């Protein structure tokens, strides 16, 4: 269940900038119907998961799916303000591509570490594997946002202060 909820946090994290954009552009009243839709959807899907005996994993999937819907609606509502539909769809597909990449990691991690005993060895191995798997994403983000340049500028600035 935790793995499904972790996937949901991907979309929860992506929702915040678009919600902030709606607030900053004085379109904050559009957030309330989106939030209401999300709450009703989460309650309905969670009830259905429990009613049909899917258990805690079913509820986790329902909540993660609701997080995705919340992100998608928030994204497209804010995208209508700052971009055309073609570029918005392209960006949305790219974000879903990142999600698919992380989903592949989760599937592989589940396949390769299914019954390993809990302990420090497993934590180190899984942590190292996620670092290796996610390292290419850092280079994609660096290309888009110049993360490494900003990091080294801040690192250089902190050395000058000392």
């Amino acid at each position: 269940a935790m793995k499904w909820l972790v996937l949901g946090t991907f979309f929860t994290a992506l929702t915040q900038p678009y919600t902030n954009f709606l607030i900053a552009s004085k379109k904050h009243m559009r957030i309330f119907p989106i939030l209401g839709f999300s709450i009703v959807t989460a309650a309905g899907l969670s009830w259905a998961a429990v009613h049909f005996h899917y258990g805690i994993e079913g509820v986790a999937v329902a909540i993660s799916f609701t997080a995705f819907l919340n992100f998608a609606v928030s994204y497209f509502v804010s995208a209508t303000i700052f971009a055309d539909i073609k570029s918005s769809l392209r960006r949305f597909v790219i974000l879903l591509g990142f999600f698919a990449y992380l989903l592949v990691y989760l599937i592989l991690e589940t396949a390769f570490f299914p019954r390993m005993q809990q302990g420090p060895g497993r934590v180190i191995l899984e942590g190292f594997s996620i670092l290796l798997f996610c390292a290419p994403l850092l280079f994609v983000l660096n290309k888009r946002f110049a993360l490494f340049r900003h990091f080294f500028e801040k690192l250089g600035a902190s050395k000058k202060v000392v």
Side-chain angles (χ1 to χ4, degrees), residues 47-82:
W47 177 84
V50 170
H51 181 73
F52 292 111
H53 306 289
Y54 286 107
I56 192 71
E57 284 210 10
V59 173
V61 170
I63 296 303
S64 294
F65 182 72
T66 302
F68 164 73
L69 288 178
N70 186 29
F71 159 68
V73 172
S74 298
Y75 175 84
F76 284 112
V77 166
S78 64
T80 59
I81 297 169
F82 69 86

Side-chain angles (χ1 to χ4, degrees), residues 89-104:
L89 277 173
R90 187 172 46 85
R91 285 189 196 114
F92 186 75
V93 169
I94 289 169
L95 291 172
L96 289 182
F98 285 129
F99 175 74
Y101 186 78
L102 294 173
L103 187 61
V104 166

Side-chain angles (χ1 to χ4, degrees), residues 148-162:
F148 296 144
R149 182 176 54 96
H150 292 302
F151 174 74
F152 288 119
E153 284 176 0
K154 295 292 182 186
L155 188 64
S158 68
K159 286 183 179 179
K160 291 177 185 175
V161 173
V162 175

Side-chain angles (χ1 to χ4, degrees), residues 23-43:
I23 293 168
S25 62
K26 302 199 184 302
K27 308 280 190 223
H28 55 279
M29 293 307 285
R30 295 182 184 183
I31 296 172
F32 295 113
I34 296 169
L35 186 59
F37 168 75
S38 297
I39 291 169
V40 169
T41 303

